[in-house]
Amino acid sequence: MKLDIINLEKKNVGSIDLADATFGQEVRADILHRVVRWQLAKRQAGTHKTKVISEVSGTTKKPYKQKGAGSARQGSLRSAQMRGGGVIFGPVVRSHAHSLPKKIRQLGLKSALSAKAKDGKLVVIEDFGKDAKTKALSA
């Protein structure tokens, strides 16, 4: 696959031959989906947290006596059914990252590069010069 090399003045300087093993593969949407999900899961912070019954501040005293009150028996004001009590199965601090085989990651990168090359969205620039700034590149 041939691709033009351009400079910062948008002039064609030459051409480069891209390897079909990397840029000529078929686009695998399933592999791309797995790789994107893996990257987003790694990026997720996982710092959400709720307090369980042992972390809620409050007394451990029984709210009222076991019998004779006419209400359901209660053992703690910190239990989940009480206002201000703990949360039973709330979120805990954890990592959302999962593993993905290295070959799947490489295949995802090749598939993404092949999709960009097929759509004509791949650009090869000859030289950025001394200052590789975004302002100069966007101009």
Side-chain angles (χ1 to χ4, degrees), residues 110-135:
K110 288 177 184 177
S111 184
L113 289 173
S114 299
K116 289 287 185 189
K118 192 162 79 169
D119 293 343
K121 295 181 179 178
L122 203 61
V123 178
V124 179
I125 297 178
E126 179 190 27
D127 189 20
F128 287 110
K130 295 177 190 170
D131 55 337
K133 295 285 189 179
T134 307
K135 183 177 180 181

Side-chain angles (χ1 to χ4, degrees), residues 30-134:
D30 58 331
I31 299 293
L32 280 174
H33 179 261
R34 284 182 65 183
V35 172
V36 168
R37 292 285 302 162
W38 169 73
Q39 286 177 338
L40 293 177
K42 275 197 323 181
R43 197 166 70 183
Q44 199 168 346
T47 54
H48 43 13
K49 176 90 172 76
T50 57
K51 292 189 177 185
V52 294
I53 189 170
S54 63
E55 296 168 338
V56 175
S57 69
T59 181
T60 57
K61 180 183 172 293
K62 206 166 162 57
Y64 47 81
K65 60 182 188 162
Q66 180 90 349
K67 301 182 75 62
S71 296
R73 52 194 175 187
Q74 299 293 336
S76 173
L77 286 172
R78 303 190 302 179
S79 56
Q81 70 266 27
M82 295 294 197
R83 183 179 180 282
V87 179
I88 298 291
F89 294 116
V92 292
V93 175
R94 67 185 180 98
S95 170
H96 292 272
H98 56 272
S99 61
L100 193 68
K102 192 184 284 186
K103 288 187 177 182
I104 299 290
R105 288 184 247 161
Q106 291 170 351
L107 189 59
L109 180 62
K110 288 177 184 177
S111 184
L113 289 173
S114 299
K116 289 287 185 189
K118 192 162 79 169
D119 293 343
K121 295 181 179 178
L122 203 61
V123 178
V124 179
I125 297 178
E126 179 190 27
D127 189 20
F128 287 110
K130 295 177 190 170
D131 55 337
K133 295 285 189 179
T134 307

